[in-house]
Amino acid sequence: QVQLRESGPGLLKPSQTLTLTCAVSGDAITTNYYYWNWIRQPPGKGLEWMGAISYSGITHYIPSLKSRTSISRDTSKNHFTLQLSSVTPEDTAVYYCAGGNTSPFGSWGQGNQVTVSS
């Protein structure tokens, strides 16, 4: 089973761009059939899937965030990255990366609290 670890800022101002990185260990992110996801949980609300990148580099996004979201990968570093532009206080949440092949959400990172405040 792979291990995932998020890293990134904890505090942003409105209109800034959030960049989070998920480092993967235990297997290559290009190994067949892995999907790598970003999920968030706003305070007091449920989990929201944001998007994913496949082992082959194909990306998928939830329509409501597609215009502000970009997921990319660096195969040399074995990590994948989330960028969310023009953040507002409504983007305050715990952000998780998750991945797997037999189960796309089989492994999760520890979560990264992101607060957007002026």
Side-chain angles (χ1 to χ4, degrees), residues 37-42 45-51 62-66 68-69 82 84 90-97 105 108:
N37 303 274
W38 286 101
I39 304 105
R40 68 181 183 179
Q41 185 169 28
K45 297 184 179 181
L47 294 169
E48 178 184 42
W49 178 81
M50 301 177 68
I62 189 171
S64 59
L65 294 174
K66 188 175 182 179
R68 299 196 291 130
T69 307
L82 169 73
L84 181 67
E90 291 187 348
D91 293 312
T92 294
V94 179
Y95 286 74
Y96 299 92
C97 58
F105 302 97
W108 289 67

Side-chain angles (χ1 to χ4, degrees), residues 33-76:
Y33 312 127
Y34 272 106
Y35 274 79
W36 307 103
N37 303 274
W38 286 101
I39 304 105
R40 68 181 183 179
Q41 185 169 28
K45 297 184 179 181
L47 294 169
E48 178 184 42
W49 178 81
M50 301 177 68
I53 187 165
S54 75
Y55 63 98
S56 61
I58 297 172
T59 52
H60 307 270
Y61 302 104
I62 189 171
S64 59
L65 294 174
K66 188 175 182 179
S67 64
R68 299 196 291 130
T69 307
S70 177
I71 298 174
S72 60
R73 65 181 185 170
D74 186 331
T75 57
S76 67

